[in-house]
């Protein structure tokens, strides 16, 4: 690594216009990762670069690409139709778009006498298809392509796209691109590219990719690791707060109201929890229960690309304080300089993601604060777990005072619209599923969750029937019929505000009532019939028995009368013998052979 971080001491030459761009962007000195990487990657080396969040990795691959593109200007900048020079892949649309803007910022300093250079974004959107991408590609003839794996692969599959001039490929957030989510697409993309190319892998957590980095076919890569003793930048202060689950939302609201910040990102576990808590916080905002000038945004993977991009742009452009509620979709790479607070409502299932989330603040030597909520109990062990990974968390004791009437207000909000009640249940169930996916499963155990506290956090009025609940809560702790409110409500009368949804609900209710009425009637009839047939059977067997008995009696009497009716003792003995014989034959029956009966 060069000792001086002055751009003048960079260990390789860079084009004068690139230097002008650097100065104009206000990058007074190089960052350590730039000082080490730019000379290597601009030369003939493959690089594997690991450096803390916000340390300027993007510039350390953008400058080498532009530098090499102009090295042999005549050949490279003027590529043949259908060819391109460099490909940059990143895991999300937002990050790809951000990388493209960094490239375009540099390109805006390109003098007019130089060959025009273009970049093209290749990400899945609802408004544009791969065909549109191809049309743009042949029309504008970009030298640099930036995109997400799926769309890039679809693009390269088209035979009209020629890959033989591709001299450089970058995998940004390489550990993510090489994990199971994307590895197949990445492998296929790399198979399309020429073997004689430079490859660069970049991430703040590249060590976790391990031997996977060799799948990229690099030749003798240079490993560049710019890290201090700790895995996070020094400008980033990481804290944790231990809290009872049911108090978490109140705690979030208190922080958003009481702590001073410019921009804050709050990470939630799932898309559905983002949308659920977003609508409640919006409601609080609209009712002046949050700071008046606070703008609230939500961003998650289930939104359409265009709406994701617009939300992010609005969050970036907001001049007053703003909070973005999001998921891990905005955890890696996103660079918004004035984010000075990050809150993790729950820790991520992948421990590497912890650093990426925290790293959205405290970037490029600016001060930043990250706070993680830990559920009281077992989750406190997470602090020790992270310490082993050189991540130091300091405790902040939350103000234990509950907000006056908060739970009632939340409950009222939920009960105002059945859609919110449905939403809360979905968010709760999704959270439990999310929790089961934690890779640090000895700390985040389903068996240790406070299911009732969590149900209250998600505004549930009744516990849903889930095996996790029946398995993990002792029977005597489950409230009667699962109700979490003092006076249970009639769910049949709980309506949707949305007219169409309400109409559909009533129709469904009528249908299911009809079905259940029919079932009831059927089962009553069955019962009735059963009783009738049982009675009939009993009556029949009684009559039968009487008839049989009478017949037998008649038969014996006839026999006796045939054999004479003498009064002597021998005859009497004969009668008795006849009865005894008959008795022996029917020992099983109590009604048969009773001598007194004859
Ligand atoms: N030499 C420099 N001097 C000052 N600021 C810089 C310099 N280089 C880059 N920056 C700024 O640092 C910020 C972070 O850069 P970048 O997004 O490239 O970080 P990163 O290392 O890729 O982070 P992450 O791992 O989170 O993706 C950006 O706002 C960028 O403009």
């Amino acid at each position: 690594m060069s000792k001086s971080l002055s751009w003048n001491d960079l260990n390789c030459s860079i084009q004068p216009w690139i230097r002008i761009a650097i100065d104009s962007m206000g990058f007074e000195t190089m960052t350590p990762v730039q000082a080490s990487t730019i000379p290597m990657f601009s030369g003939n080396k493959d690089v594997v670069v690991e450096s803390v969040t916000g340390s300027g990795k993007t510039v350390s691959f953008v400058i080498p690409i532009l530098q090499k593109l102009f090295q042999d200007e005549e050949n490279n900048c003027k590529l043949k139709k259908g060819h391109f020079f460099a490909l940059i892949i990143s895991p999300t649309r937002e990050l790809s778009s951000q990388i493209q803007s960094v490239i375009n910022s540099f390109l805006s300093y390109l003098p007019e006498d130089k060959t025009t250079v273009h970049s093209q974004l290749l990400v899945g959107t609802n408004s544009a298809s791969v065909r549109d991408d191809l049309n743009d590609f042949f029309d504008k003839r970009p030298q640099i392509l930036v995109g997400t794996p799926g769309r890039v692969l679809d693009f390269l599959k088209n035979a009209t796209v020629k890959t033989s001039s591709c001299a450089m490929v970058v995998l940004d957030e390489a550990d993510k691109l090489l994990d199971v989510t994307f590895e197949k697409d990445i492998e296929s993309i790399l198979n399309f590219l020429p073997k004689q190319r430079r490859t660069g892998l970049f991430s703040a957590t590249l060590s976790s990719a391990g031997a996977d980095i060799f799948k990229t076919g690099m030749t003798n890569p240079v490993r560049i690791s710019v890290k201090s003793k700790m895995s996070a930048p020094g400008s980033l202060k990481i804290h944790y707060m231990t809290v009872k689950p049911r108090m978490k939302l109140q705690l979030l609201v208190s922080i958003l109201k009481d702590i001073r910040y410019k921009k804050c990102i709050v990470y939630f576990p799932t898309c559905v929890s983002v949308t659920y808590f977003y609508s409640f916080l919006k409601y609080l905002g609209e009712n002046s229960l949050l700071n008046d000038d606070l703008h609230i945004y939500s961003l998650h993977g289930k939104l359409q690309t265009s709406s994701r991009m617009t939300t992010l742009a609005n969050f970036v452009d907001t001049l007053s304080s703003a909070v973005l509620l999001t998921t891990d979709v905005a955890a890696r790479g996103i660079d918004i300089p004035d984010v000075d607070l990050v809150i993790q409502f729950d820790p991520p299932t992948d421990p590497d993601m912890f650093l990426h989330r925290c790293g959205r603040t405290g970037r490029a030597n600016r001060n930043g604060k990250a706070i993680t909520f830990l559920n009281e109990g077992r989750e406190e062990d997470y602090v020790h777990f992270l310490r082993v990974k050189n991540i130091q968390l300091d405790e902040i004791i939350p103000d234990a005072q509950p907000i006056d009437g908060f739970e009632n207000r939340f409950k009222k909000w939920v009960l105002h619209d059945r859609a919110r009640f449905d939403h809360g249940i979905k968010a709760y169930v999704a959270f439990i599923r999310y929790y089961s996916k934690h890779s640090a499963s000895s700390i985040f155990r389903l068996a240790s969750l406070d299911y009732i506290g969590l149900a209250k956090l998600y505004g549930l009025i009744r516990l849903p029937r889930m095996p996790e609940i029946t398995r993990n809560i002792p029977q005597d702790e489950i409230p009667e019929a699962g109700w979490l409110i003092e006076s249970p409500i009639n769910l049949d009368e709980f309506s949707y505000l949305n007219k169409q949804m309400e109409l559909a609900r009533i129709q469904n209710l009528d249908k299911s009532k009809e079905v259940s009425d029919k079932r009831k009637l059927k089962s009553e009839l069955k019962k009735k019939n059963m009783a009738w047939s049982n009675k009939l059977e009993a009556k029949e067997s009684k009559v039968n028995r009487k008839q049989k008995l009478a017949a037998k009696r008649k038969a014996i009497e006839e026999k006796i009368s045939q054999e004479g009716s003498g009064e002597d003792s021998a005859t009497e003995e004969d009668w008795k013998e006849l009865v005894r014989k008959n008795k022996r034959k029917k020992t099983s029956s109590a009604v048969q052979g009773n001598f007194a009966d004859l």
Side-chain angles (χ1 to χ4, degrees), residues 126-330:
N126 289 23
S127 53
S129 62
V130 181
R131 175 73 14 226
D132 297 325
D133 286 345
L134 287 165
N135 290 341
D136 275 357
F137 178 65
F138 287 104
D139 190 24
K140 298 197 180 112
R141 301 179 66 169
Q143 294 87 339
I144 305 168
L145 303 178
V146 191
T148 47
R151 191 55 166 255
V152 168
L153 182 58
D154 288 344
F155 178 82
L156 294 182
K157 276 180 184 164
N158 200 291
T160 53
V161 177
K162 307 293 176 209
T163 58
S164 57
S165 305
C166 177
M168 298 182 88
V169 61
V170 167
L171 304 189
D172 193 22
E173 306 297 342
D175 51 328
K176 183 69 198 162
L177 293 176
L178 295 172
D179 83 5
V180 282
T181 334
F182 296 115
E183 65 174 342
K184 287 230 157 66
D185 282 353
I186 296 295
E187 213 179 298
S188 314
I189 291 170
L190 296 178
N191 283 337
F192 274 109
L193 305 180
K195 293 222 169 359
Q196 282 306 310
R197 57 158 202 262
R198 294 281 63 83
T199 306
L201 309 187
F202 292 79
S203 179
T205 52
L206 201 48
S207 332
S208 53
D212 284 348
I213 59 168
F214 296 107
K215 288 181 192 161
T216 54
M218 290 180 295
T219 41
N220 292 328
V222 176
R223 218 176 222 288
I224 297 166
S225 180
V226 185
K227 277 174 145 188
S228 63
K229 219 174 118 237
M230 299 318 280
S231 304
S235 53
L236 171 61
K237 297 283 166 265
I238 308 182
H239 302 273
Y240 74 96
M241 286 180 167
T242 309
V243 56
K244 283 190 170 58
R246 69 182 288 179
M247 297 299 293
K248 259 176 160 174
L249 189 57
Q250 294 193 47
L251 181 60
L252 175 67
V253 170
S254 309
I255 292 176
L256 293 181
K257 279 172 74 177
D258 302 339
I259 288 189
R260 279 170 65 89
Y261 57 91
K262 258 172 109 176
K263 280 191 183 140
C264 167
I265 301 183
V266 187
Y267 288 99
F268 284 94
T270 60
C271 300
V272 61
S273 56
V274 169
T275 50
Y276 184 59
F277 290 122
Y278 170 73
S279 40
F280 182 60
L281 290 183
K282 279 292 268 186
Y283 156 82
L284 291 184
E286 282 155 12
N287 288 280
S288 308
L289 296 161
L290 286 172
N291 301 343
D292 285 345
D293 61 343
L294 181 68
H295 286 74
I296 307 170
Y297 299 97
S298 80
L299 176 73
H300 56 84
K302 297 231 160 72
L303 292 172
Q304 293 195 341
T305 309
S306 55
S307 133
R308 273 163 60 170
M309 302 284 200
T310 316
T311 300
L312 200 60
N314 290 342
F315 178 62
V316 171
D317 294 342
T318 303
L319 294 174
S320 61
S321 56
V323 56
L324 176 72
L325 313 186
T326 189
T327 60
D328 282 338
V329 76

Side-chain angles (χ1 to χ4, degrees), residues 7 22 25-31 33-34 51-61 95 98 102 172-173 203-205 331-337 355-356 359-360 363-366:
W7 287 103
I22 290 169
M25 286 179 194
F27 299 159
E28 288 172 16
T29 56
M30 296 181 276
T31 65
V33 70
Q34 291 162 356
S51 168
V52 291
T53 51
S55 56
K57 292 185 286 294
T58 315
V59 167
S60 59
F61 60 74
L95 186 49
Q98 184 181 291
V102 175
D172 193 22
E173 306 297 342
S203 179
T205 52
R332 281 178 179 261
I334 298 299
D335 180 56
I336 304 167
L355 273 184
H356 289 285
R360 292 320 97 206
R363 299 173 72 74
N365 281 330
R366 289 186 194 87

